[in-house]
Amino acid sequence: MVGWPTLQQKQVIWRALGYEPFPLQMPFHASTARVRQLVGAEGAGKSLMTARELVAAVPFCDLTYLVGQEFENTRREFEYIRDDLLALGMTEPSMISDPKNPPWGLATLTGCRIVTISVAKCGAAGIIARGEEPDAIALLEAGVIVGESVFNAAWRRISRSKGQLILSGTLRDDFGWYARLEETLREADNPYGGQTFSVPAWANLSIYPQ
């Protein structure tokens, strides 16, 4: 990984996609924290925000993991990423594995691989046992992931690669660790150098125009 893109570099990709984050979404995208937690109600745009953040990083990354409790929890973000990369000419249909039954994945013309992982199928070993050092890991619908061990495994992996860890999900579906992590990330000197962002549903102006 050559370094996470700056906001200005990300905006070059986003302009090509016609994406302009709404004001309450921008702090998440502008953050340089290595761990970013995105919480909010359904309809806040969390899936699209996460996907667009990862798409903008593709030219800078070699490997990205999309992790969910079930493969289906990764589906929406994978589809956003797939469609965006096709629109940008950064992948080709022959480079996409999108069968009816998961896992799904793709490769890009820039050399980045995007892999989906199911915690229910593989546990934290799905991240650890591969022996890889992903540049980015996204824990999707993170509140339904059973057990903090998955977060710990993801943190260790991105610490080695100096990568980025994004967690996206509502606090309503929580096994305890996700809410505790939010409290930790609120502290300025937290051990992860992370930040938490709460985006209300009405911040998504495409659904709730002013």
Side-chain angles (χ1 to χ4, degrees):
M1 183 177 185
V2 298
W4 200 256
T6 65
L7 179 60
Q8 291 73 24
Q9 289 170 322
K10 288 184 278 191
Q11 287 173 323
V12 172
I13 297 288
W14 295 339
R15 280 195 290 270
L17 293 168
Y19 176 62
E20 183 176 352
F22 300 122
L24 291 180
Q25 297 173 335
M26 184 58 82
F28 165 79
H29 287 305
S31 172
T32 59
R34 289 184 55 205
V35 176
R36 283 176 286 171
Q37 182 189 47
L38 183 59
V39 301
E42 293 182 9
K46 299 184 300 297
S47 293
L48 184 60
M49 291 169 65
T50 301
R52 291 279 161 84
E53 184 72 15
L54 295 172
V55 165
V58 161
F60 303 83
C61 292
D62 295 321
L63 178 62
T64 295
Y65 288 170
L66 305 180
V67 183
Q69 179 65 26
E70 306 284 349
F71 279 116
E72 194 60 33
N73 298 127
T74 71
R75 182 68 177 176
R76 182 175 297 178
E77 284 82 357
F78 177 77
E79 289 181 344
Y80 280 140
I81 291 169
R82 177 201 64 196
D83 294 349
D84 282 354
L85 293 175
L86 284 169
L88 292 166
M90 294 174 67
T91 191
E92 298 176 349
S94 62
M95 303 173 76
I96 300 170
S97 176
D98 190 11
K100 180 178 180 181
N101 296 317
W104 308 294
L106 61 82
T108 74
L109 295 169
T110 62
C112 179
R113 288 188 298 122
I114 296 175
V115 177
T116 57
I117 296 173
S118 164
V119 172
K121 183 174 182 180
C122 303
I127 297 173
I128 299 170
R130 293 171 175 268
E132 300 174 317
E133 294 187 4
D135 301 303
I137 300 177
L139 303 186
L140 306 173
E141 296 189 34
V144 302
I145 292 177
V146 181
E148 194 172 2
S149 61
V150 176
F151 167 74
N152 292 333
W155 166 244
R156 287 195 296 271
R157 279 299 174 203
I158 66 106
S159 295
R160 294 173 61 178
S161 65
K162 300 189 186 305
Q164 290 272 324
L165 174 56
I166 296 173
L167 304 95
S168 175
T170 68
L171 292 176
R172 177 172 56 84
D173 301 317
D174 177 45
F175 286 91
W177 71 269
Y178 194 57
R180 290 194 301 272
L181 180 64
E182 184 197 29
E183 295 176 358
T184 298
L185 295 180
R186 286 177 187 170
E187 301 173 4
D189 59 347
N190 67 79
Y192 307 108
Q195 288 183 286
T196 184
F197 301 88
S198 180
V199 181
W202 52 264
N204 187 351
L205 300 183
S206 62
I207 298 178
Y208 302 98
Q210 291 180 342

